[in-house]
Amino acid sequence: MKYSAALLSILVVGSSAFVPATKSTHSAVSLASSVDDKTEVREYFNTEGFNRWNKIYSESDDVNSVQLDIRTGHDQTIQKILNWIQADGDIAGKSVCDCGCGVGSLAIPLAQMGAELSASDISDSMANEAARRAKELGIENAKFYTSDLESVSGKYDTVTCVDVAIHYPTEKMSEMIGHLCSLANERVIISFAPKTWYYVFLKKVGELFPGPSKTTRAYLHEEEAVRAALKKAGFEVAREEMTATNFYFSRLLEAKRA
């Protein structure tokens, strides 16, 4: 069914994800939910999810039509980011932190463009695969390691977080964006599944057709709330894009420090 297939991309579109730990001031229910999200994501992308998404984020022919469409959508989002950076022409020698790097779809081409990359993923399997791919290409200016987003530290010229926010509950999204911004000296590039009436409808329809692919929770986010969180952190949106294929939906924002 088209609706349930379209929902697949919304439910598990990210190659990796981080869910921040809940502070002790939150309720026990909120804490359990956050921990469950984080555990689900880590376990999924270290096992079944890794096998599935590693094929999608590669040139493998062992994918179905829906997975191929999702690959196309994700590739389009990555290319839009690379186009922005190529247009700026100043990434060489700059430090970049890629949070939720997956198999290195963005980190590797950025390193090839001369950036100094620090890329992390909550999944050992994903981070190790990204490191393997980078080594195979002879890349030496990129470091890949396992970490959840809340544990990432340091200061970087650019911070990227692509197709990760779908694993963050709405009440944690602002905190997640705030942390990303705290790492960035110049700009943050983030993508998320937008919360519109149409995508909400698809999500509700898809929930009527449970399947093995839906192994992690999925969250859509209102663009107004994302922009507000960026503004609160001292950033202003400079560029924006939207990618929408048959089975992949992703809103992309670049925000620069005001």
Side-chain angles (χ1 to χ4, degrees), residues 2 46 51 66 74 79 89 91 103 111 126 152 161 179 182 184 186 189 192 199-200 203 226-227 237 241 252 257:
K2 184 175 181 180
N46 271 327
N51 295 328
V66 173
H74 180 74
Q79 190 56 53
I91 196 65
V103 296
M126 287 289 185
V152 176
C161 189
H179 182 63
S182 74
E186 299 178 5
I189 297 175
F192 58 96
Y199 297 148
V200 169
K203 188 174 188 295
V226 175
R227 287 175 176 266
V237 174
E241 283 281 1
L252 178 65
R257 188 172 291 280

Side-chain angles (χ1 to χ4, degrees), residues 109-201:
L110 287 179
Q112 291 174 318
M113 294 169 68
E116 296 296 326
L117 257 294
S118 176
S120 59
D121 200 286
I122 197 171
S123 162
D124 286 321
S125 297
M126 287 289 185
N128 290 339
E129 173 62 14
R132 186 196 67 79
R133 293 188 184 192
K135 182 178 180 180
E136 192 173 76
L137 293 170
I139 293 173
E140 298 181 349
N141 53 318
K143 177 184 70 173
F144 296 91
Y145 64 101
T146 304
S147 174
D148 56 16
L149 191 148
E150 65 180 348
S151 300
V152 176
S153 60
K155 285 290 185 179
Y156 308 88
D157 296 315
T158 296
V159 174
T160 59
C161 189
V162 179
D163 291 349
V164 170
I166 196 162
H167 298 287
Y168 274 83
T170 301
E171 66 272 13
K172 302 298 292 183
M173 186 62 172
S174 179
E175 180 180 337
M176 172 262 215
I177 292 175
H179 182 63
L180 292 174
C181 290
S182 74
L183 302 172
N185 289 324
E186 299 178 5
R187 65 179 166 186
V188 170
I189 297 175
I190 184 173
S191 72
F192 58 96
K195 186 176 184 179
T196 66
W197 70 266
Y198 179 62
Y199 297 148
V200 169
F201 171 71

Side-chain angles (χ1 to χ4, degrees), residues 7-18 41 44-45 49-50 52-54 56-57 70 74 99-103 105 121-123 126 161-168 191-193 213 215-219 247-250:
L7 182 61
L8 172 64
S9 65
I10 296 178
L11 289 177
V12 290
V13 69
S15 63
S16 167
F18 304 104
V41 168
Y44 175 70
F45 286 106
F50 170 73
R52 177 177 293 115
W53 290 94
N54 188 36
I56 293 175
Y57 297 149
I70 294 172
H74 180 74
C99 295
C101 67
V103 296
S105 301
D121 200 286
I122 197 171
S123 162
M126 287 289 185
C161 189
V162 179
D163 291 349
V164 170
I166 196 162
H167 298 287
Y168 274 83
S191 72
F192 58 96
S213 294
T215 56
T216 61
R217 295 181 179 89
Y219 302 95
F247 309 112
Y248 174 97
F249 315 100
S250 184

